[in-house]
């Protein structure tokens, strides 16, 4: 496939070519209201402004969204209302946008040659924009889909022989996370305070600032309106309470994906998690990239998912198991560092369970999913050591130091450290990227 | 304290006297838009209609809410916006409503003697109203605050000697629950399908409909605007990310309480919960009563909380530990039964950890709470067997049958069973009640 050309100039290596068009919520100096846009190269196409200053564009026969509806969908502080539209609308509108922004095509003239002033109004530099949390997340569920991550953690906490729990082979294990503390890239993360034991043999815990602060390289998938679309409040149910989603339909409910750093406080987590799971060890912050890449943009990167042995129960069986080939990277930079140190290189394709299996399992008991729900993959580790996607794995549970590029030794994250996750799909002659999920560790607000 | 008198007639035993005034979201045959009201006796005072047909009432000097704001707050499909007001506003407006509805007082004449037609417009029979989910819950956190429940479960799963986990004595243990499946009283609950093992010695699980369906008697507390109030979208943060809430301020963030049945699928839960906690065993439905009783209405029922030994860490220490004396009851009725069978009688005061400790612990790592968040107590068991607040405890993990009033034997809930939770505080000459959290078990939608 050769790249399609846009009249908007961008580098051939751009992560936001016409093949991507990821969604965002942004504001700008001239208009501080958060609203809907898509990235193209180094620019953002301001769909909100477009819907009010050039409504004739939305009257074109190939546009699935009428002008009034476009205004309602794009003058929004979150993508939820657009995401609640049906998959057909999403696909058609994506094609329409590609056509609108392409160098040659039936919509040539609508935006491209039209008026200088229109360009200035609706295409702005990303560097000028402030990017906001793109989705108002109803519920956040985090899964545990990587076999290598489950093995590495189990081996540390138990033994290599009993590393993976018996249920893990049958269940795409998940738990409910915290929606309120999901923040967009760039939001500082304060080191949490919490209870932990200074030594495993201590009788009682202490309250202190976390001493084992970690990242987790994950991806987040967002629920959209599915084949039918949902009611118009942006949090519509995609399945009624009590009614599971069939695995054959699961993918239709996924609108798109982003990068996710699910920060973890390992000492707090270790002390609190029995028997109800992680809580304060996780809920102090989860950073997502501000761009939502539609599944349609990932289609060229679809690859076979790993073979599952033992085979899953019937309701989780997929005829063609697939996932996406997305290269993922974590880098860390200390406050005095000039360069980033790559700490993890992994790929979404390493996951043992697929997102469609996770979503189906989520609903099998009748749990209702809603537009805007966020499903995290869990830490995406892979078979090689460089793929280990948390410091817990990299430092063998705190027992092994690793080196920054500066030569400085590290075990866990320190105050002032920045952590950056990036993701990139390599196509033939083009790339589809996810931007970044960036967060800097700031000192604990509780003083000890 | 002798009861205060209202010009609205109700029985001295009413659970909704002038001392209560619980909040709800309701609709009526003549106006199907869900809106805000408060209960008084057998009636609902329609605050939305009141704000538009009698705005001069809101101009009274003792009313803390101006007419325009009243319209904005009460023409709402959820209580969140009102809850986001400050505690002062909540207290003043509660006094104002009591005055407005009282037989004698400074506001006599505003509503009481004014016009026949006004009564008919703003006071409607509860039997005519449909009650909706009162709060749009951002995040739902469920705790595990009852010592007896922790002990009973631990003794079943491990042994009496190791029943309570070491961390439980130091942490008001909590986990993130599912917000989307919180439903108002009366919503049917479908028996969930899920994975479980038919026998503990089986190598592999099966998919089937839950065979160990249970209730959990809980109460739910809802986060309000605190001393300052929050921004106006009804989901405002009460603490910034990274900034814990001091235990001395914790209670100010609790707006009110309701009854909660956190339905549980014990077989699904048992198989899935290691290591990340309950998931599909819980997320198929949580029933709450439709009335939110303000903490101010519970003030006469404040009692000392249980002594904690070992004492908690400093950040969880309260000078005067208190809770509320709320009698709680669970009843079950089979589809062929004419009478309800009381299966649990308990009391909120039995909890070992207080809600203020739970809320403070929730925030200690910097997790931001938002208006509309729901905090569940966990199963409220007490010291006597009749206080055991789940069937898991009552049937000793499925090993002991119990009798319905009809003589029928039961272990777990059957299809067609209704479960009703009620709660009542007994004052001197008056009662403050919570209405009911009612749900009927319907058959699993997945066929096997």
């Amino acid at each position: 496939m050769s790249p399609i050309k846009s009249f908007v100039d961008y580098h051939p290596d751009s992560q936001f070519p016409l093949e991507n068009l990821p969604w965002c919520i942004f504001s700008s100096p001239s208009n501080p209201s958060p609203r809907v846009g898509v990235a193209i190269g180094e620019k953002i196409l301001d769909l909100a402004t477009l819907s009010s200053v050039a409504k004739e564009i939305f009257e074109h026969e190939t546009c699935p969204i009428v002008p009034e509806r476009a205004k309602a969908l794009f003058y929004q502080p979150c993508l939820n209302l657009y995401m609640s539209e049906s998959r057909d609308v999403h696909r058609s509108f994506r094609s329409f946008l590609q056509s609108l922004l392409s160098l040659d095509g039936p919509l040539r003239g609508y935006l491209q040659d039209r008026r200088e002033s229109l360009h200035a109004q609706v295409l702005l530099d990303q560097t000028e924009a402030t990017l906001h949390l793109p989705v108002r997340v109803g519920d956040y569920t985090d899964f545990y889909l990587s076999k290598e991550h489950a093995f590495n953690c189990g081996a540390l906490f138990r033994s290599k022989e009993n590393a993976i729990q018996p249920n893990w082979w049958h269940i795409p294990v998940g738990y409910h996370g915290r929606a309120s503390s999901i923040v967009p890239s760039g939001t500082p993360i304060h080191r949490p305070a919490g209870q932990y034991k200074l030594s495993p043999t201590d009788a009682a815990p202490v309250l202190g600032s976390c001493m084992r602060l970690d990242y987790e390289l994950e991806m987040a998938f967002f629920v959209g309106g599915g084949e039918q679309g949902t009611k118009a409040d942006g949090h519509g149910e995609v399945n009624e309470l009590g009614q599971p989603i069939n695995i054959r339909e699961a993918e239709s409910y996924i609108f798109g994906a982003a990068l996710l750093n699910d920060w973890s406080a390992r000492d707090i987590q270790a002390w609190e998690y029995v028997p109800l799971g992680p809580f304060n060890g996780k809920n102090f912050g989860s950073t997502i990239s501000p761009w939502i890449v539609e599944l349609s943009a990932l289609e060229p990167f679809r690859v076979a998912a790993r073979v599952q042995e033992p085979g899953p129960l019937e309701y989780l069986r997929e005829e063609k198991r697939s996932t996406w080939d997305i290269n993922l990277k974590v880098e860390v930079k200390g406050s005095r560092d000039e360069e980033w140190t790559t700490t993890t290189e992994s790929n979404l394709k390493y996951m043992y369970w697929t997102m469609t299996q996770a979503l189906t399992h989520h609903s099998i008991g009748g749990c209702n999913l809603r537009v805007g729900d966020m499903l995290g993959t869990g830490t995406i580790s892979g078979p090689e050591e460089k793929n280990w996607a948390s410091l817990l794995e990299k430092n063998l549970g705190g027992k092994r130091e690793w080196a920054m590029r500066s030569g400085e030794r590290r075990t866990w994250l320190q105050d002032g450290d920045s952590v950056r996750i990036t993701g990139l799909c390599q196509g033939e002659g083009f790339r589809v990227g996810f931007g970044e999920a960036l967060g800097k560790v700031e000192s604990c607000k509780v003083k000890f």
Side-chain angles (χ1 to χ4, degrees), chain A residues 143-439:
Chain A
F143 288 90
Y144 193 49
L145 305 179
S146 155
K147 185 169 81 169
E148 285 76 14
H149 179 63
F151 177 85
N152 290 341
C153 296
L156 287 172
F157 295 135
R158 289 176 298 276
S159 67
K160 285 194 178 176
E161 293 67 37
N162 300 306
I164 297 187
Q165 306 274 8
N167 62 359
W168 192 90
W169 298 105
H170 303 276
I171 298 176
V173 170
Y175 71 109
H176 304 116
R178 179 78 189 176
S180 72
S181 52
I182 298 168
V183 294
S185 182
T187 308
I189 297 294
H190 286 272
R191 181 179 297 273
Q195 288 192 30
Y196 49 80
K197 281 192 172 184
L198 288 170
S199 153
T201 54
D202 282 359
V206 298
L207 180 72
S209 64
C210 169
M211 299 196 299
R212 297 178 160 228
L213 187 61
D214 201 354
Y215 64 74
E216 288 193 336
L217 164 61
E218 303 196 17
M219 288 194 70
F221 289 77
F222 295 87
V223 174
E227 296 294 354
Q228 306 296 323
T230 68
K231 273 184 264 167
D233 76 345
H235 284 288
E237 289 181 349
V238 300
N239 62 316
E240 274 180 29
L241 195 65
Q243 184 63 60
I245 293 170
N246 191 288
I247 192 142
R248 286 189 299 277
E249 290 157 20
E251 193 174 294
S252 72
Y253 293 107
I254 302 177
F255 173 77
L259 306 168
L260 166 62
N261 181 351
D262 199 32
W263 306 84
S264 297
R266 299 299 180 192
D267 37 11
I268 297 168
Q269 183 184 351
W271 170 237
E272 76 179 357
Y273 87 103
V274 173
L276 299 181
F279 183 56
N280 283 347
K282 299 280 188 177
N283 64 21
F284 58 93
S286 306
T287 303
I288 62 172
S289 54
W291 307 102
I292 309 292
V293 176
E294 282 187 80
L295 286 201
S296 301
L298 297 177
E299 198 50 47
F301 313 103
R302 197 184 280 273
V303 291
R306 289 169 71 165
V307 173
Q308 296 187 312
E309 179 54 46
L313 287 169
E314 178 68 27
Y315 78 105
L316 295 176
R317 227 170 275 165
E318 299 176 285
E319 275 183 47
K320 283 193 177 175
R321 297 187 70 248
S322 72
T323 180
W324 298 275
D325 181 357
I326 303 174
N327 295 296
L328 301 165
K329 187 162 71 170
V330 186
E331 296 160 291
V332 177
K333 192 167 84 167
S335 53
R336 293 182 304 273
D337 290 346
E338 294 194 353
E339 293 177 308
W340 291 91
T341 300
T342 299
T343 53
T344 300
E345 289 177 279
S346 192
N347 193 302
L348 184 74
K349 70 183 180 187
Y350 294 141
M351 292 200 314
Y352 181 86
W353 293 99
T354 61
M355 281 315 298
T356 38
Q357 288 178 313
L359 187 146
T360 301
H361 178 70
H362 199 326
S363 76
I364 187 64
C367 182
N368 51 343
L369 302 182
R370 295 183 296 190
V371 170
D373 285 348
M374 179 172 121
L375 310 181
T377 54
T379 306
I380 305 166
S381 296
E384 292 182 59
E385 202 170 315
K386 70 173 184 180
N387 310 139
W388 295 357
S390 64
L391 295 181
L392 176 75
E393 293 162 83
K394 189 177 181 70
N395 66 26
L396 302 179
K399 295 195 191 77
R400 183 177 71 175
E401 289 187 333
W402 49 276
M404 299 280 277
R405 280 181 72 173
S406 64
E408 203 181 330
R409 312 294 292 175
R410 281 295 154 88
T411 311
W412 305 101
L413 294 172
Q414 298 184 359
D415 287 356
D417 282 356
S418 293
V419 178
R420 180 168 73 179
I421 295 178
T422 48
L424 207 52
C425 306
Q426 185 61 56
E428 292 179 23
F430 69 99
R431 313 202 295 180
V432 165
F434 285 79
E436 64 182 26
L438 172 71

Side-chain angles (χ1 to χ4, degrees), chain A residues 81-212:
Chain A
L81 206 56
Y82 180 71
M83 288 161 64
S84 72
E85 293 284 338
S86 72
R87 191 154 72 148
D88 272 354
V89 169
H90 294 148
R91 286 174 171 169
S92 308
F93 193 68
R94 177 176 155 79
S95 297
F96 171 76
L97 282 180
Q98 284 184 324
S99 181
L100 187 67
L101 291 165
S102 71
L103 191 60
D104 297 297
L107 288 168
R108 184 188 164 94
Y110 268 79
L111 189 55
Q112 187 178 345
D113 317 318
R114 220 154 126 264
R115 350 170 196 138
E116 285 291 317
S117 67
L118 186 62
H119 275 216
Q121 278 180 283
V122 302
L123 279 167
L124 73 157
D125 289 342
Q126 283 163 28
T127 50
E128 282 175 24
T130 301
L131 295 170
H132 303 270
L133 195 69
V135 178
R136 187 156 176 160
V137 176
D139 278 289
Y140 161 34
T141 303
D142 200 19
F143 288 90
Y144 193 49
L145 305 179
S146 155
K147 185 169 81 169
E148 285 76 14
H149 179 63
F151 177 85
N152 290 341
C153 296
L156 287 172
F157 295 135
R158 289 176 298 276
S159 67
K160 285 194 178 176
E161 293 67 37
N162 300 306
I164 297 187
Q165 306 274 8
N167 62 359
W168 192 90
W169 298 105
H170 303 276
I171 298 176
V173 170
Y175 71 109
H176 304 116
R178 179 78 189 176
S180 72
S181 52
I182 298 168
V183 294
S185 182
T187 308
I189 297 294
H190 286 272
R191 181 179 297 273
Q195 288 192 30
Y196 49 80
K197 281 192 172 184
L198 288 170
S199 153
T201 54
D202 282 359
V206 298
L207 180 72
S209 64
C210 169
M211 299 196 299
R212 297 178 160 228

